[in-house]
Amino acid sequence: MVPRPRSRSRSRSRNLASAKPKSAASPATSAKPPDQAQPSPCDATHAHGLMSFLPSKDSPVLAYLARILMVWPIKAILPLAVLRFLLAHFSSSYSYLHHPLLDLHAMLEVALFVHFKIKAHTLTNSQPAAAASYLYPEIDIQETMAPLDHLNQCLSHLDHALREHLPSASPAELRARKQYELAGWFTDASQGSHNARATFEQIHRHHLSTWLAWAFLDAPLDEQLEEELAPLVDAIEVFCGSPLQCGKHVSASIVPLRLNIDSLRAQHRPILHYFVTHFSANLAGWAIFTSRGFKRRVKNGQTYYFRERRIKKKGRGKKPLVFVSGIGIGLVSYERLVSALMCDDRDILVFDLPEISLRWTPFKQHAHAPPLQTVETI
């Protein structure tokens, strides 16, 4: 039975104790490697991963070289294809550039560009509230964990992960890192760019309450809800080691990221790019995960990879680990992370989501079944 969409006009009467954040990624804790008699996935090959040759995003020089050698040439494919077509057909001096396959490529690139512009215009002008109601219909689920307890658990996991990742960091450095992580959920529109990151000092308690209202309740912020969310804001202030701004003045330029409410920002990519992400990257991901002992399975149209734990013990054992990727080129970019998670010997499920992996997917604007079916399957 498909739940009915939420009505935005009705009054909100949900109790915070029955709410749950949309996204609360809990870092995996480290565990002892399996017995030496069994083949361990934590050897040097798995620790470094097959993708270890890729440049680190923390290096500005390598990032700039990647932009010159990869990003800009891809963006130049469409204008160069159109320029070649025009010169080959309308200039006798460049008639040698004429080729049927190149002409077909140019026409396909132009057709894709026109289709992209129409689709982007349609999605950008759709109502954010309607999109949110469509993607996240109301589902009444009885939860035993209150939001404050759930938030404290998430903050505890994040604190543990930061201390493992930065073992030699001082308390001041850890505090600065926590503030940096929180500020990543807010943008500063006054800098003239939608990607401009806000600083921790710019965030007001009202800004954080607005973000928490979306994350926990998918609801707009009102005075009553802001009072109910005050303990959660206090917990985050304690976690960050510094109070947020308070008072009557609230900067309108600081905007929280709310993924299913924010306006759509899309960029055109040529056919060659989708050939790489749809075929090459997908094939590489399949080869990497199957070589790690994962088995590819499909259920209700949803593809996932499953790997059983190597050491069979009596009883239920550890809970399975479920990995859901973010927006990118697919699972191939998470090979290092999944290899590290394999060190904790337990069942692992890795979901393959083509809708957020830069692949061609049949998605209709008013088709409710695909996203709901994906959520229910997961």
Side-chain angles (χ1 to χ4, degrees), residues 10-213:
R10 67 177 179 84
S11 60
R12 182 192 59 81
S13 60
R14 297 175 60 184
N15 191 312
L16 280 176
S18 64
K20 183 179 181 180
K22 282 193 195 71
S23 175
S26 301
T29 57
S30 61
K32 294 182 180 180
D35 297 339
Q36 297 299 325
Q38 298 290 335
S40 173
C42 304
D43 54 17
T45 302
H46 290 282
H48 294 286
L50 297 178
M51 305 299 292
S52 58
F53 62 89
L54 292 178
S56 172
K57 65 180 181 179
D58 296 330
S59 173
V61 176
L62 292 179
Y64 186 72
L65 289 177
R67 182 174 299 179
I68 294 177
L69 299 177
M70 298 175 61
V71 179
W72 291 349
I74 289 177
K75 291 185 176 181
I77 290 178
L78 174 63
L80 290 178
V82 174
L83 178 62
R84 186 214 60 81
F85 181 85
L86 295 176
L87 292 177
H89 289 271
F90 297 98
S91 176
S92 58
S93 302
Y94 295 93
S95 58
Y96 61 90
L97 295 176
H98 176 73
H99 193 280
L101 292 179
L102 295 178
D103 292 345
L104 177 62
H105 170 255
M107 289 186 286
L108 290 176
E109 290 287 2
V110 172
L112 176 62
F113 179 77
V114 174
H115 171 76
F116 163 78
K117 285 296 184 181
I118 296 175
K119 180 63 69 173
H121 177 76
T122 302
L123 295 176
T124 302
N125 290 281
S126 61
Q127 295 294 332
S133 177
Y134 152 59
L135 289 175
Y136 298 97
E138 182 179 8
I139 302 175
D140 294 328
I141 302 176
Q142 297 297 327
E143 297 290 346
T144 59
M145 182 179 295
L148 182 58
D149 297 333
H150 200 124
L151 176 65
N152 286 331
Q153 185 183 58
C154 295
L155 296 179
S156 176
H157 281 300
L158 180 57
D159 180 76
H160 177 75
L162 289 175
R163 293 181 184 277
E164 278 196 342
H165 183 66
L166 305 171
S168 60
S170 65
E173 291 173 335
L174 285 175
R175 183 170 60 252
R177 183 66 184 187
K178 294 175 181 178
Q179 296 176 2
Y180 179 82
E181 294 292 338
L182 175 64
W185 282 97
F186 298 86
T187 60
D188 183 6
S190 64
Q191 298 187 26
S193 173
H194 58 262
N195 290 325
R197 188 188 187 109
T199 62
F200 179 82
E201 291 74 16
Q202 294 175 299
I203 302 175
H204 193 280
R205 288 179 61 92
H206 180 80
H207 297 143
L208 184 56
S209 297
T210 302
W211 181 77
L212 290 172

Side-chain angles (χ1 to χ4, degrees), residues 324-330 353-359 361:
V324 181
S325 66
I327 299 175
I329 64 172
L353 304 175
E355 296 85 359
I356 58 173
S357 301
L358 297 177
R359 299 187 218 161
T361 53

